[in-house]
Amino acid sequence: MTEPITAQTITAGPITISGHGGDQIEAYLARPTGTTPRGGVVLIHHMPGYDEATLEMARKFAVHGYSALCPNLYSREAPGAAPDDAAAAVRAAGGVPDERLVGDVAGAAAHLKSLDNANGKVGVIGHCSGGRQTFLSACSLDIDAAVDCYGAFVVNEVPAGFPISMKPIIGLAPDLSCPLLGLFGAEDQNPAPDETAALSAELDRLGKAHEFHTYPDAGHSFFAVDRPAYRVAAAVDGWQKIFAFFGTHLAA
Amino acid sequence: MCTYQTEKVAVDGSGKGAQGWFPVSDATVYVDHPVHAPYGHTVNIDFLNPALGPSSRVALELTEEAALALADAIRASVVSAPAGIASANQKV
């Protein structure tokens, strides 16, 4: 008899993994117990950091049968600091460099593939800045499925005067290594629907598999359960689409 | 939206954070999502001392009305006091 999902026993906690350049960084691993082969999910945290709500998402993936690993992208600048303090420090310093992000995701994916019950498949998901970083990772690494939740500045230029050198990355689209699920809010300004439509059109042109959904009555951060932007209808449907998508592409 | 636009200013004084008082050297001001205030966006003000590490931070998340009122109150307070009394070059 198959156990109901909510009865899935998991383990979860912080570990150390090798990130970009071999740096030892903190990460949060949540995984089902037992020896059943499992797909892996790299969870890229949003700009506010490696926070409680993000780690809760990692445990949700584990309950649904995936080994989920969330690297703390701010480990280097703020080891041991509270997530909000770490985010403020990294923000003031100009954010996470793209090259380092890709290296950290590569390290997380490698760690997932090294687990004793790994099935060899790894997906990536990220929210907000993590949505853009998910697209970047899926165009830079060999990934099996990617989920971009309202990532901005994939297509559009950042406004003038930004203190960091974040560039549009739509030029990387020919290298997209896997199917892409995009979940967006119709009321979001970054990315606004015209930006996600432009990305979809470019992926169509390139023949890259993708599935985009834009929810009415939802703006940026509609998955964030601890923020006023949370929209229950969009988030519930979005989670169903995420699990259906990973169920298809991360099965052995 | 997530803005990366950040106003930075060097400051001279002290702040009280989670571990007590410390000298503050920098302040940042930016409009972005708050961590705690019950709004989608707020004016976020951080008083920092990077030399002491990320935890040396005093953080505020204010509505724009509150932030502007605070800025006015700071100016009014300084103007109403004798000129130079709280200056970095004050006589003690």
Side-chain angles (χ1 to χ4, degrees), chain A residues 139-188:
Chain A
C139 294
S140 307
L141 303 169
D142 187 14
I143 298 293
D144 297 295
V147 183
D148 166 8
C149 299
Y150 35 80
F153 309 129
V154 172
V155 176
N156 291 355
E157 294 274 355
V158 297
F162 274 39
I164 61 172
S165 58
M166 189 168 58
K167 298 291 185 191
I169 50 176
I170 192 164
L172 301 178
D175 297 327
L176 181 63
S177 64
C178 63
L180 177 68
L181 173 64
L183 301 173
F184 309 107
E187 296 173 1
D188 201 340

Side-chain angles (χ1 to χ4, degrees), chain A residues 64-154:
Chain A
H64 281 257
Y66 297 91
S67 297
L69 186 57
C70 178
N72 182 353
L73 304 178
Y74 305 157
S75 284
R76 297 169 183 80
E77 291 87 355
D84 58 334
D85 289 340
V90 172
R91 189 186 201 294
V96 172
D98 281 352
E99 181 185 4
R100 193 180 91 185
L101 177 280
V102 171
D104 285 353
V105 172
H111 187 89
L112 285 167
K113 288 188 174 182
S114 76
L115 295 176
D116 51 8
N117 65 339
N119 74 357
K121 300 289 182 67
V122 171
V124 177
I125 184 171
H127 303 74
C128 180
S129 52
R132 176 183 177 277
Q133 291 165 334
T134 291
F135 185 77
L136 174 66
S137 299
C139 294
S140 307
L141 303 169
D142 187 14
I143 298 293
D144 297 295
V147 183
D148 166 8
C149 299
Y150 35 80
F153 309 129
V154 172

Side-chain angles (χ1 to χ4, degrees), chain A residues 8-87:
Chain A
Q8 182 70 63
T9 303
I10 69 168
T11 61
I15 63 170
T16 300
I17 66 169
S18 292
H20 180 68
D23 294 345
Q24 299 300 292
I25 63 171
E26 182 183 15
Y28 187 83
L29 176 65
R31 57 188 297 214
T33 57
T35 57
T36 303
R38 305 288 186 181
V41 174
V42 179
L43 173 61
I44 303 177
H45 65 67
H46 58 171
M47 206 169 156
Y50 180 79
D51 59 6
E52 187 171 347
T54 302
L55 303 191
E56 191 175 306
M57 287 185 190
R59 294 191 296 275
K60 187 176 181 81
F61 281 113
V63 166
H64 281 257
Y66 297 91
S67 297
L69 186 57
C70 178
N72 182 353
L73 304 178
Y74 305 157
S75 284
R76 297 169 183 80
E77 291 87 355
D84 58 334
D85 289 340

Side-chain angles (χ1 to χ4, degrees), chain B residues 5-89:
Chain B
Q5 190 79 51
T6 301
E7 301 293 331
K8 293 187 183 182
V9 58
V11 296
D12 181 0
S14 291
K16 192 172 183 180
Q19 278 113 40
W21 286 95
F22 63 96
V24 294
S25 59
D26 300 80
T28 59
V29 183
Y30 50 99
V31 175
D32 208 335
H33 308 299
V35 172
H36 185 269
Y39 296 98
H41 296 84
T42 49
V43 181
N44 302 330
I45 305 170
D46 291 336
F47 297 95
L48 307 164
N49 189 328
L52 298 180
S55 298
S56 295
R57 181 171 79 114
V58 178
L60 290 172
E61 298 173 337
L62 304 175
T63 61
E64 63 188 46
E65 294 87 349
L68 292 172
L70 175 65
D72 289 344
I74 291 170
R75 288 198 166 277
S77 174
V78 171
V79 167
S80 67
I85 194 171
S87 165
N89 301 314

